[in-house]
Amino acid sequence: MLELKNLSVHYGPKRVVSEVDLTLAPGQTLGLAGESGSGKSTVAMSVLRLLPRTARVEGEILLDGDDVRTMSWGRLRAVRWASASIVFQGAMHSLNPVRRVGDQIAEPMRLHGTRGSVTELLEQVELPREKARAYPHELSGGQRQRVMIAMALACGPRLVIADEPTTALDVVVQAQVLAVLKRLVAEQDLGLLMISHDLSVLAETCDDLAVMHRGELVERGRTREVIANPRHPHTAALTAAFPVIGDPAHRWADPAPAPEPLLQVRDLVVDYGRTRAVDGVDLTIGRGEIVALVGQSGSGKTTLARTIMGLRKPSSGRVIFDGAEVARSGKALKAFRRQVQLVLQDPSSALNPRHTVFDAVAEGLRVHGLADDQEAQVTAAVERAELRPASLYLESLPHELSGGQQQRVVIAGALVLRPRLLVADEPVASLDASVRGEIVALLLRLRRELGLASLIITHDLGLAWQIADRVAVMHQGKIVEQGSVEQVLLTPSHDYTRALLRAVPQV
Amino acid sequence: MRVKLCALLAIATTLGLSAPPASAQQPVVLKVAIVQQIDSMNPFLAVFQSSTEIGRLMYDYLTAYTAQDQSVTEGLANRWQPSPDRLTWTFTVPEGKKWSDGVPITARDVAFTYNLMLTDEVARTANGSFVTNFAEVTAPDDRTVVIRTKTPQVTMLALDVPIVPEHVWSKVGSIKDYANDQMPVVGSGPFVLSEHVPGQFIKLQANRTYWRGAPKYDELHFVYFQNSDAAVQALAKGEIDLVNRMAPAQFDSLQGKAGVTRNKAMGRRFTELMINPGAQTRTGELIGDGSPVLRDVRVRRALAQAIDLDALVARVNLGYAEKGAGLVPPVFGKYHWQPSAAEARTFDPAAAGAALDAAGYPRKADGTRFPLRLIGRAGRAYDEQASEYLKRSMSDIGVPLDVRLVSDNQLNESTTAATYDLAFSGWSTNIDPDFVLSLHTCAQRPGADGKGGTTDTYFCDETYDRLYAQQLSEFDEARRVEIVKQMQARFYDQVPAVVLAYENALEGYRSDHFARFTTQPAQGGVIMAQNGMWGYYGAEPAQRTAQAASSGWTGFAVAGGVVAALVAAFVVLARRRRATAGERE
Amino acid sequence: MNRMGRTGLAGAGVLAVAALVALVAPLLIDADSLDVTRVTAQAWQPPGAGHWLGTDHTGRSVALLMAQGTGTSLFVGLTAAVLSVGIGTLVGIVSGHFGGLLAGTLLRVTDFFLVLPALVLAIALSTVLPRGLGTIVLAIGLTSWPSTARMVRAQTLTIEARPFVERARALGGGHGHVIARHVVPSVVPLVLVNATLAVASAIVAESTLAFLGLGDPTRISWGAMLHQAQLHGAVPQQAWWYLLPPGLAIVVVVLAFTLVGRALEAVVTPKR
Amino acid sequence: MRLAGRFGGAALSLLMVAVLGFFLFRVVPGDPVVSMTRGRPSTAAMQAELRAQFGLDRPLHEQFWSYFTSLLQGDLGTSFTFRRPVSDVILERLGPTLLLVGTATLIAVLLGLWLGVRAAWRRDSVFDKVTTGVSLTLWAVPTFWLGMLLMMVTGDLFPSRGMRDTDTAPDFVSQALDVGHHLVLPSVTLVAVVCAEYALVMRSSLLEEMHAPYLTTARAKGLRDDLVRRRHAVPNAVLPAITLVFLRFGLVVAGAITTETVFSWPGLGLLFYDALTGPDYFLLQGLLVVTAGAVVVMNLLADLLHGVLDPRVKVV
């Protein structure tokens, strides 16, 4: 049905896809995995000739035997959506924000003269019919993605291409959307080309798996085989990056003795206007202990972290650090902030694009007036964050570094003040799979060598399994369950924890 | 759909073009440009010159001035007689004159008008000064008006007050709120106001029953222009028939223009350079911040001597002015004064310098004597240019000038507060010189609080004041003329101001539309801004074949053509696009 | 080099020439040749030998007037822009960075000035204040800052929402640190672009005020020349040589500033 | 809640305009009474009378209070020059200004938006380069100069002043044609400048949307290029442009001052120019309140309209 022969795509002199061969038969499901920049989305877009004019496409793209590259525009328009449709990434932006979703679903049907009803399509994706009158912004992320799926099925195509259909969705919602997609593909016997950076998602959905790396197809085979016995080192790195909860091989944390408390949160309440974001939370972090705070987005975990840092004023409750209550302002707060450092999710935005690595790392020193011997301290911190030799990086600007390197700079910026606690908000969520492991290892090594305690905020239960000593599960502003990693993740006692665990895609 | 729309548009455009402006049996119209706004049509409130001028066309005064030589002639009254003590004047309003609505004009209308002004403070807004000396006005019968004044008044035959119909105005409740816009407005003049669109135009119809005889054309339109530049252009294009107050350059630009005749007339205006003589209040307090050196009359004379009046007239007025001397312009011949050869200060910078040396202001090391400030009005061409010349002349005698050109308001503010050394000013004068002479008497200076002054130059001179009082009660004209001339000589000698020039009134008219206008005075007089309505009243239309109005419509044709072409191109393009839809993206 | 860069460079070239003229003209031009009392040439001469742009209503050479006017127009444009952008930046940063009553008030005031028709206000101001270049600069500067303030405020808010500012706060950085190290550096390029465009509109505003007769009449500027041309009847005389050059000069210089501004903008705003 | 806030903000702005107008124009130097009576025989007593008539002899705060209280009743005071209520004088001139600005805005919006859309959609094409170049140039052109040039170039083709001739036949068609004839030059002048801005804004607004993912969705669905543009890109990109049009409309009223001055168009701008020479305080205040009020109202309308057109913005 779909056959890519020797497909190469160039942007100017840059080759982003090189000589990819791929076939997909009707009813077949194929996952295309790869990190960002591996060219996987380019392959998807080339199928309907949707690449920008600047792209040079070579090779053949046969859709039902016709080469998409040489079709007339009229013919191409007829083929688009009727033969193959796409579920785009990020439905918020892929849906026209000023038109009702019902109209948008109906549009291709009118255009291609397909019979059918919007209501039916909405029912197929388990959305109530009145949602047809809604605008995209009135829907939740999961609902929007369902609309995208309904739209993709509107003209009864035989091939559906899904480009990162669940990225940016919460685990629980992701599981639901994947379920819908899986069911429909099976019911209607569609061909599915699914693209994702997340092997576990592909493993859930696809029978076959292809792995791309730097524009090349490095591996292809049955999903189970590829994951179980990766032949290409890159595939291996990808598989390793997705820890399996309960698998001791994926548990990297060293067992630590019960420590004495470093930071204690007592009955903390934070309100945003009328909504209560954090509702009476008690939490303790011991010296040198790594605690993972897990929960869905909107559960209040980020607010909790901000409040601990003193970036938000709590409505009530106390934060005690090293036996003393943390001040809300003034010098004492500043001193406290020297001891507790924040590491943010997206390193590229956590670094001022105009500051060199040296400036970024030295910022803390400057703020606290520790200007003497700056250079030595910065160098030491950078090297400790495993950017060696430091001199190679000090004068670089953030955009010259890779994501992993950027995150190391952020960590170095924290280390330079010799903190005792690190609050890390989704420290690896935006990193490519292969880099993720290195950062996790770095955090663990810092704990080992410096006795640095960490509060890791994450939605990713796998990360908690990998790194944490203890886990606290947060739901609707409350901590519903906390305890040692094994205890919480292997024998969950709260329903919510169980729901979270169920939603994790299984490889 | 789109094509249809375009076709519709095209049809509409052509339809619009084919319909010519209707022009059957067009009345003969004189179109006059006015640059000043009309403040009010209510003659008791209207103070702007433009409004007064239109008022003259609507309402006759008690007496008028001839076009020939501006002597007093019949207005509403045809005879007048002062009592021997000169305190009671009897005017006779003859039978046969009618308001434009047919009601006869009587002495009672006259008495009503003056009494309204005497009793209603608001009615004195515009012309109150004429009646301040009145004790009583009565109309013993329909033909006779008797006015008693408090003191003898020489200006009794120069009462520039529009007389309004009692049968209309007696019903007016509040003068202040009465706009006088019940068209057509009942009046006694040669024209009747028929339409007024503020900011756009004013239309008057010829008064067919006017007692001097109907005007020789049908309608008189005043068209508002934002600036005289636009007015001159419109004249050149034939959109209007008469323009005045042209700048010299604009006047020159019309030279040789077919169908346009220019009228270089003697003006009523003079331009002066005020020299602050040490401004004081009526009580003798010094006010303002005028340079103390100017209190010395020798200094003022020296400055005046250093100004080359001929050069100013030649370069700034481009020759369209008479060199200045006394306060009364030559257009009012008998009161006009020229210095004798002995009195005259001829331009002589060297002598001026010597005079300053003698007065105790020698040049300092840097070549200057003392600095002075000169204030003028920004945006007035004369001030902007003349200040350059004065700056040069003064620096030649060691007086550096700091020239500041300011807005009208700021200029007023400075001259009233006497915060100037030298300043440009100017006045429009009347046939009777009383007012312009009064501006320079001690009594016109402000009161102790610095307010209420109406003085022009802060001049206060015993001799001058004594002469002023004399002329005011001198009823022998020849002797009064003599006193008035003496006053001007005194003014010239004491130099509280240098009269720089009597500007010509520069007018132009379409001689292909109107063959002749009556000027006042007959020799070198003006058409517009007269002391009367002769210019408009006496205009004689030329024999014309066709109104030139149609020429302007070619513009529409051009625009229409362009639109049509665009529409056609659009239609063709749309067709082409539809045909190639399949191959395009 | 791309198109934006080329046009920007062309604009910069024009500006360099204009600046050169502005600096050199007062040195080279004999004061007497611009002194109406000393000029000997005839008025209203069309371009020809001797006066290659003709003469004005007093016989001065239009070409010399043009050269002399360059400085005034550029000076007013630049200083007014600096004033306007300065106020705008200050208000923008302060109202963006600090919350609460201060920001609310500033925002209110900004909105208020944004609502006022700038031209009307500038005209009113130039009637109120004494005549002079300073007044013109003030009138333009005081009425044109709100858009800059709006933009700077938006940028400040954007920057402050960035994680790196949060990180700086978490590091213990105070207001001073955040503003000096993060906000100002990221606002500066935008402000620069804005300033360039502000110069362009200030020059147009100056010419408009001068045309309405509210300029400094003792100084020669392009706007003042147009005012004079209108005052002395250039249109009915068909004296295109008096009317065309000042207007064209304004257009060219304003366009040059705009092009440079757009080129800078293209450099400053990151490509997506 | 938000709507109430909007209205409240607009009301507050208007209030501030009124206050500013009063005090700003009180600082204008010069005694209006002196200006009024200049060049006419007048005595000190008469001047004092006039001053009392207009309440100029009272202390400033009293003047302000009476101005303010009558303003709340819609009374803008009495014009010094015209001796009539300011509101009447302004109303008289509103028509011509609205006609001029309305015509110009309508043409400019249609033309500008169309040009902007075409230019952006075919970015860097000849059409785009020409449109952008011309727009940028026109943006740099001082309005009054353009007007003067047009007047000089067109010579006798169009009338040089005003809104209508005085001797046109009174029937509607002739009058309408006459006004249309007079309208050509001023509106072309205004259109040229305003249209340029709209075109540039529309262009950059559409360019912002050009890479929006939903356009890719639309293309993938098989929509023709011009349908993608018309159905998807333009409805999104036009939102900021429409807001701008409304914002501008108010400002264009004020910006028409120079155009009206050049062409003696009997509108508000010309009135403003005339009022300045008075100075006619109440008229100036009234004009400021009215023009600023127009902008405030237009802002409000823009907000409301934005709420209607853009479902993302909810005006509750």
Side-chain angles (χ1 to χ4, degrees), chain C residues 88-205:
Chain C
T89 309
L90 190 69
V91 171
I93 289 182
V94 169
S95 70
H97 179 80
F98 299 97
L101 195 65
L102 179 67
T105 314
L106 281 178
L107 199 61
R108 197 65 259 157
V109 171
T110 312
D111 277 354
F112 171 64
F113 272 94
L114 211 55
V115 158
L116 283 183
L119 181 63
V120 171
L121 200 61
I123 291 175
L125 274 177
S126 23
T127 10
V128 172
L129 303 168
R131 285 299 159 96
L133 277 193
T135 296
I136 294 287
V137 168
L138 218 59
I140 298 173
L142 285 182
T143 51
S144 58
W145 60 268
S147 56
T148 313
R150 264 291 175 93
M151 193 208 66
V152 169
R153 178 170 179 275
Q155 176 72 1
T156 307
L157 288 177
T158 317
I159 292 297
E160 301 240 339
R162 291 275 169 78
F164 61 77
V165 171
E166 186 171 34
R167 176 173 161 263
R169 287 227 177 85
L171 282 170
H175 294 305
H177 175 82
V178 170
I179 290 180
R181 297 287 306 172
H182 295 284
V183 175
V184 169
S186 68
V187 159
V188 158
L190 255 176
V191 164
L192 217 72
V193 170
N194 208 256
T196 323
L197 298 176
V199 177
S201 43
I203 291 177
V204 175

Side-chain angles (χ1 to χ4, degrees), chain D residues 70-144:
Chain D
S70 46
L71 182 70
L72 290 182
Q73 297 156 21
D75 176 7
L76 292 166
T78 306
S79 155
F80 293 140
T81 16
F82 298 100
R83 319 285 167 124
R84 289 196 300 139
V86 166
S87 41
D88 288 7
V89 178
I90 290 180
L91 269 183
E92 243 162 42
R93 303 297 191 87
L94 200 59
T97 291
L98 285 184
L99 178 67
L100 172 61
V101 174
T103 313
T105 302
L106 192 71
I107 299 176
V109 167
L110 293 178
L111 193 64
L113 298 193
W114 184 75
L115 286 175
V117 167
R118 294 319 281 263
W121 201 251
R122 291 276 171 264
R123 192 182 185 172
D124 290 334
S125 65
V126 176
F127 184 88
D128 177 30
K129 282 176 185 161
V130 170
T131 306
T132 312
V134 170
S135 297
L136 283 174
T137 311
L138 282 177
W139 190 81
V141 170
T143 325
F144 62 89

Side-chain angles (χ1 to χ4, degrees), chain B residues 31 37-39 47-48 121 125 127 198-200 203 221 223-226 237 409-410 413 435 452 552 555 585, chain D residues 29-30 40-41 44 49 81-83 92-93 155-159 161 166-167 181 225 264 266 270 273-274:
Chain B
K31 286 192 238 172
Q37 284 281 4
I38 299 298
D39 51 352
V47 296
F48 284 7
E121 162 184 309
T125 304
N127 303 307
Q200 298 191 40
K203 287 189 188 178
H221 295 175
V223 184
Y224 179 69
F225 281 84
Q226 205 282 321
K237 289 187 195 176
N409 315 316
Q410 286 161 319
E413 181 97 331
F435 175 66
E585 186 174 346
Chain D
R40 296 186 61 84
E49 238 164 55
T81 16
F82 298 100
R83 319 285 167 124
E92 243 162 42
R93 303 297 191 87
D156 290 344
L157 289 186
F158 296 98
R161 61 144 293 285
T166 52
D167 52 0
H181 195 199
D225 193 52
S264 303
L270 198 57
Y273 186 77
D274 289 334

Side-chain angles (χ1 to χ4, degrees), chain D:
Chain D
M1 176 62 210
R2 223 181 125 251
L3 194 63
R6 290 274 166 202
F7 276 109
L12 190 66
S13 286
L14 278 180
L15 186 78
M16 284 165 75
V17 168
V19 173
L20 180 87
F22 182 86
F23 286 102
L24 184 66
F25 291 116
R26 290 309 136 129
V27 192
V28 176
D31 184 341
V33 170
V34 171
S35 300
M36 245 148 72
T37 55
R38 207 158 55 113
R40 296 186 61 84
S42 67
T43 62
M46 270 174 60
Q47 293 191 358
E49 238 164 55
L50 274 177
R51 236 171 246 125
Q53 227 183 69
F54 287 105
L56 292 170
D57 52 348
R58 287 182 296 160
L60 204 60
H61 62 96
E62 265 182 46
Q63 288 186 42
F64 178 70
W65 185 242
S66 77
Y67 158 73
F68 190 69
T69 44
S70 46
L71 182 70
L72 290 182
Q73 297 156 21
D75 176 7
L76 292 166
T78 306
S79 155
F80 293 140
T81 16
F82 298 100
R83 319 285 167 124
R84 289 196 300 139
V86 166
S87 41
D88 288 7
V89 178
I90 290 180
L91 269 183
E92 243 162 42
R93 303 297 191 87
L94 200 59
T97 291
L98 285 184
L99 178 67
L100 172 61
V101 174
T103 313
T105 302
L106 192 71
I107 299 176
V109 167
L110 293 178
L111 193 64
L113 298 193
W114 184 75
L115 286 175
V117 167
R118 294 319 281 263
W121 201 251
R122 291 276 171 264
R123 192 182 185 172
D124 290 334
S125 65
V126 176
F127 184 88
D128 177 30
K129 282 176 185 161
V130 170
T131 306
T132 312
V134 170
S135 297
L136 283 174
T137 311
L138 282 177
W139 190 81
V141 170
T143 325
F144 62 89
W145 182 69
L146 186 64
M148 283 158 81
L149 276 195
L150 280 177
M151 220 199 264
M152 196 157 88
V153 169
T154 54
D156 290 344
L157 289 186
F158 296 98
S160 51
R161 61 144 293 285
M163 193 167 94
R164 49 194 165 123
D165 279 335
T166 52
D167 52 0
T168 311
D171 62 296
F172 179 77
V173 175
S174 312
Q175 287 284 336
L177 276 176
D178 187 33
V179 171
H181 195 199
H182 282 79
L183 191 59
V184 174
L185 284 188
S187 54
V188 164
T189 309
L190 217 49
V191 164
V193 179
V194 181
C195 173
E197 193 182 4
Y198 291 163
L200 288 174
V201 167
M202 187 66 218
R203 179 177 177 271
S204 64
S205 171
L206 188 56
L207 282 181
E208 295 264 310
E209 298 287 332
M210 282 296 275
H211 299 288
Y214 65 82
L215 293 185
T216 311
T217 310
R219 279 201 189 89
K221 283 178 185 175
L223 260 67
R224 255 199 345 261
D225 193 52
D226 56 335
L227 284 183
V228 174
R229 185 183 72 221
R230 242 187 295 152
R231 283 203 204 151
H232 291 273
V234 172
N236 274 284
V238 88
L239 292 174
I242 287 200
T243 313
L244 180 101
V245 166
F246 270 83
L247 288 183
R248 283 291 165 208
F249 187 79
L251 293 177
V252 171
V253 170
I257 289 179
T258 47
T259 313
E260 291 189 0
T261 309
V262 170
F263 292 103
S264 303
W265 187 262
L268 289 180
L270 198 57
L271 186 64
F272 183 83
Y273 186 77
D274 289 334
L276 270 176
T277 50
D280 195 336
Y281 291 159
F282 284 113
L283 190 51
L284 285 173
Q285 276 158 213
L287 282 169
L288 188 71
V289 171
V290 168
T291 44
V295 185
V296 171
V297 170
M298 283 297 156
N299 273 357
L300 199 61
L301 273 183
D303 261 8
L304 297 181
L305 192 75
H306 197 219
V308 172
L309 291 180
D310 188 344
R312 282 166 295 184
V313 181
K314 268 283 159 278
V315 183
V316 185

Side-chain angles (χ1 to χ4, degrees), chain A residues 62-74:
Chain A
L62 301 177
L63 196 59
D64 293 325
D66 278 351
D67 192 347
V68 174
R69 281 181 59 235
T70 55
M71 279 180 194
S72 78
W73 282 107

Side-chain angles (χ1 to χ4, degrees), chain A residues 404-419:
Chain A
Q405 289 169 328
Q406 287 172 348
Q407 193 63 306
R408 286 169 203 275
V409 173
V410 174
I411 293 171
L415 290 181
V416 78
L417 286 172
R418 303 176 198 288

